Tab-separated table of all heavy atoms in Angstrom:
chain	number	residue	atom	x	y	z
A	320	ARG	N	10.108	11.633	22.238
A	320	ARG	CA	10.895	11.926	21.004
A	320	ARG	C	11.911	12.976	21.318
A	320	ARG	O	11.742	13.913	22.051
A	320	ARG	CB	9.908	12.414	19.963
A	320	ARG	CG	9.135	11.321	19.245
A	320	ARG	CD	8.311	11.945	18.142
A	320	ARG	NE	7.422	10.881	17.535
A	320	ARG	CZ	6.363	11.174	16.859
A	320	ARG	NH1	5.952	12.398	16.693
A	320	ARG	NH2	5.626	10.196	16.334
A	321	SER	N	12.994	12.821	20.587
A	321	SER	CA	14.104	13.755	20.730
A	321	SER	C	14.032	14.799	19.579
A	321	SER	O	13.635	14.430	18.466
A	321	SER	CB	15.464	13.061	20.689
A	321	SER	OG	15.591	12.150	21.714
A	322	PRO	N	14.370	16.050	19.843
A	322	PRO	CA	14.305	17.044	18.772
A	322	PRO	C	15.384	16.694	17.717
A	322	PRO	O	16.368	16.096	17.998
A	322	PRO	CB	14.595	18.341	19.530
A	322	PRO	CG	15.389	17.941	20.734
A	322	PRO	CD	14.797	16.620	21.124
A	323	VAL	N	15.035	17.133	16.466
A	323	VAL	CA	15.965	16.835	15.372
A	323	VAL	C	17.161	17.815	15.551
A	323	VAL	O	17.051	18.964	15.787
A	323	VAL	CB	15.260	17.195	14.014
A	323	VAL	CG1	16.270	17.137	12.917
A	323	VAL	CG2	14.084	16.192	13.841
A	324	VAL	N	18.345	17.262	15.394
A	324	VAL	CA	19.599	17.969	15.510
A	324	VAL	C	20.000	18.450	14.150
A	324	VAL	O	20.283	17.685	13.301
A	324	VAL	CB	20.715	17.047	16.149
A	324	VAL	CG1	22.006	17.900	16.300
A	324	VAL	CG2	20.249	16.624	17.494
A	325	GLU	N	20.002	19.727	13.950
A	325	GLU	CA	20.413	20.328	12.677
A	325	GLU	C	21.901	20.340	12.606
A	325	GLU	O	22.641	20.515	13.487
A	325	GLU	CB	19.852	21.786	12.608
A	325	GLU	CG	18.358	21.880	12.726
A	325	GLU	CD	17.694	21.549	11.390
A	325	GLU	OE1	18.409	21.484	10.360
A	325	GLU	OE2	16.491	21.428	11.332
A	326	LYS	N	22.398	20.022	11.358
A	326	LYS	CA	23.793	20.158	11.064
A	326	LYS	C	24.210	21.642	11.067
A	326	LYS	O	23.434	22.496	10.762
A	326	LYS	CB	24.133	19.490	9.753
A	326	LYS	CG	23.911	17.993	9.753
A	326	LYS	CD	24.387	17.400	8.419
A	326	LYS	CE	24.245	15.889	8.434
A	326	LYS	NZ	24.712	15.278	7.180
A	327	GLY	N	25.513	21.833	11.445
A	327	GLY	CA	25.996	23.197	11.439
A	327	GLY	C	26.118	23.771	10.055
A	327	GLY	O	26.003	23.085	9.047
A	328	PRO	N	26.299	25.112	9.942
A	328	PRO	CA	26.411	25.753	8.674
A	328	PRO	C	27.723	25.358	7.941
A	328	PRO	O	28.685	24.883	8.595
A	328	PRO	CB	26.387	27.267	9.017
A	328	PRO	CG	26.948	27.325	10.373
A	328	PRO	CD	26.476	26.045	11.097
A	329	PRO	N	27.819	25.493	6.641
A	329	PRO	CA	29.017	25.185	5.914
A	329	PRO	C	30.181	26.064	6.396
A	329	PRO	O	29.976	27.158	6.990
A	329	PRO	CB	28.656	25.468	4.465
A	329	PRO	CG	27.170	25.396	4.406
A	329	PRO	CD	26.704	25.916	5.800
A	330	VAL	N	31.374	25.568	6.153
A	330	VAL	CA	32.559	26.326	6.562
A	330	VAL	C	32.594	27.667	5.836
A	330	VAL	O	32.314	27.777	4.646
A	330	VAL	CB	33.842	25.546	6.212
A	330	VAL	CG1	35.066	26.332	6.597
A	330	VAL	CG2	33.850	24.178	6.970
A	331	GLY	N	32.807	28.727	6.589
A	331	GLY	CA	32.936	30.105	6.015
A	331	GLY	C	31.570	30.847	6.033
A	331	GLY	O	31.528	31.966	5.626
A	332	VAL	N	30.507	30.157	6.422
A	332	VAL	CA	29.191	30.769	6.488
A	332	VAL	C	28.768	31.029	7.910
A	332	VAL	O	28.907	30.161	8.751
A	332	VAL	CB	28.131	29.860	5.821
A	332	VAL	CG1	26.742	30.505	5.902
A	332	VAL	CG2	28.502	29.566	4.366
A	333	GLU	N	28.445	32.276	8.197
A	333	GLU	CA	28.109	32.658	9.597
A	333	GLU	C	26.800	31.989	10.010
A	333	GLU	O	25.837	32.041	9.273
A	333	GLU	CB	28.059	34.150	9.690
A	333	GLU	CG	27.744	34.607	11.124
A	333	GLU	CD	27.684	36.149	11.151
A	333	GLU	OE1	27.917	36.784	10.103
A	333	GLU	OE2	27.399	36.665	12.234
A	334	ALA	N	26.815	31.377	11.168
A	334	ALA	CA	25.611	30.777	11.608
A	334	ALA	C	24.562	31.796	12.061
A	334	ALA	O	24.925	32.901	12.619
A	334	ALA	CB	25.916	29.877	12.870
A	335	PRO	N	23.252	31.593	11.825
A	335	PRO	CA	22.259	32.557	12.196
A	335	PRO	C	22.135	32.573	13.669
A	335	PRO	O	22.407	31.684	14.415
A	335	PRO	CB	20.967	31.980	11.573
A	335	PRO	CG	21.226	30.550	11.386
A	335	PRO	CD	22.660	30.389	11.133
Side-chain angles (χ1 to χ4, degrees):
R320 282 182 185 160
S321 300
V323 175
V324 179
E325 299 280 350
K326 292 185 178 180
V330 177
V332 178
E333 183 179 356

